[in-house]
């Protein structure tokens, strides 16, 4: 796909963990993976990882990242919601396709022209206050020895996880 850009100093062959941990744009994701001890779990098998950038994590409401890092059970669910237990290159994704994550819930793929989006529950951009329901794949098909990484611009949240917005309001799928 021509809209894809080259990602940093990406070169093959590397594991998915090598790709993520070697990226200067995924330091928060790296810290989260290490906090949950998922680095070995994402190495054994073939996977697709939708990898949110540091900028994606910074769109979460203030204090959310710190809160999640101290709640490894919730953080593990969120991280596994970004992992699909099969290799899915962008060319194999279809609009309207539902894909089951390692966490157990499904994500929906949407394709608009040459852009690919991963849909999940609505969340709120802490900077603008706007609802965000799509994660755009910014860079696709970073192939590793055990699957593929797609870089996304929004953190995906499973439907059963609650995010505390402004310290008082819960945003879950049931709110919409």
């Amino acid at each position: 796909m021509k809209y894809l850009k080259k990602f940093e100093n990406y070169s093959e062959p590397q594991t998915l963990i090598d790709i993520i941990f070697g990226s200067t744009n995924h330091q928060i994701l790296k810290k989260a993976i290490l906090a949950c001890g998922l680095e070995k779990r994402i190495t054994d098998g073939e996977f697709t990882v939708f990898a949110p950038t540091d900028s994606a994590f910074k769109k979460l409401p203030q204090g959310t990242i710190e809160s999640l890092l101290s709640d490894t059970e919730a953080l593990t669910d969120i991280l596994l919601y970004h992992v699909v237990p099969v290799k899915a290159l962008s060319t194999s994704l279809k609009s309207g396709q539902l894909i089951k994550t390692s966490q157990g819930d499904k994500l929906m793929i949407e394709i608009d022209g040459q852009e690919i989006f991963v849909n999940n529950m609505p969340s709120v951009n802490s900077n603008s206050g706007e609802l965000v329901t799509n994660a755009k794949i910014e860079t696709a098909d970073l192939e590793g020895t055990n699957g593929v990484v797609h870089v996304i611009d929004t953190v995906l949240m499973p439907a059963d996880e609650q995010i505390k917005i402004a310290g008082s309001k819960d945003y879950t799928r049931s709110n919409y």
Side-chain angles (χ1 to χ4, degrees), residues 30-154:
K30 175 182 177 180
K31 186 175 184 178
I33 290 170
L34 290 171
C36 296
L38 291 177
E39 64 275 13
K40 288 185 178 128
R41 186 168 176 182
I42 301 173
T43 303
D44 297 332
E46 193 165 76
F47 303 96
T48 298
V49 176
F50 295 99
T53 62
D54 291 342
S55 296
F57 277 100
K58 290 176 183 173
K59 287 195 264 183
L60 294 172
Q62 187 174 4
T64 302
I65 297 168
E66 295 77 15
S67 176
L68 288 172
L69 287 170
S70 66
D71 183 354
T72 56
E73 183 177 339
L75 183 57
T76 297
D77 280 348
I78 292 167
L79 293 177
L80 291 177
Y81 192 60
H82 290 79
V83 178
V84 177
V86 296
K87 181 178 179 179
L89 294 171
S90 63
T91 54
S92 69
L93 300 175
K94 308 284 183 246
S95 200
Q97 179 180 10
L98 292 174
I99 51 178
K100 188 173 182 179
T101 69
S102 293
Q103 177 264 355
D105 289 347
K106 293 180 181 178
L107 297 171
M108 180 180 279
I109 301 299
E110 281 189 20
I111 300 174
D112 183 9
Q114 292 193 355
E115 295 181 324
I116 302 173
F117 298 91
V118 182
N119 295 313
N120 70 324
M121 70 169 274
S123 59
V124 176
N125 181 320
S126 62
N127 297 323
S128 68
E130 296 177 3
L131 288 177
V132 177
T133 57
N134 295 319
K136 180 181 176 183
I137 295 179
E138 293 181 332
T139 305
D141 298 334
L142 300 176
E143 289 188 73
T145 57
N146 64 322
V148 63
V149 173
H150 300 301
V151 177
I152 58 175
D153 68 351
T154 301

Side-chain angles (χ1 to χ4, degrees), residues 61 124 131 162-172 175-176:
V124 176
L131 288 177
Q162 297 180 354
I163 304 172
K164 300 289 184 186
I165 305 295
S168 63
K169 188 165 184 177
D170 290 339
Y171 282 83
T172 63
N175 292 112
Y176 297 96

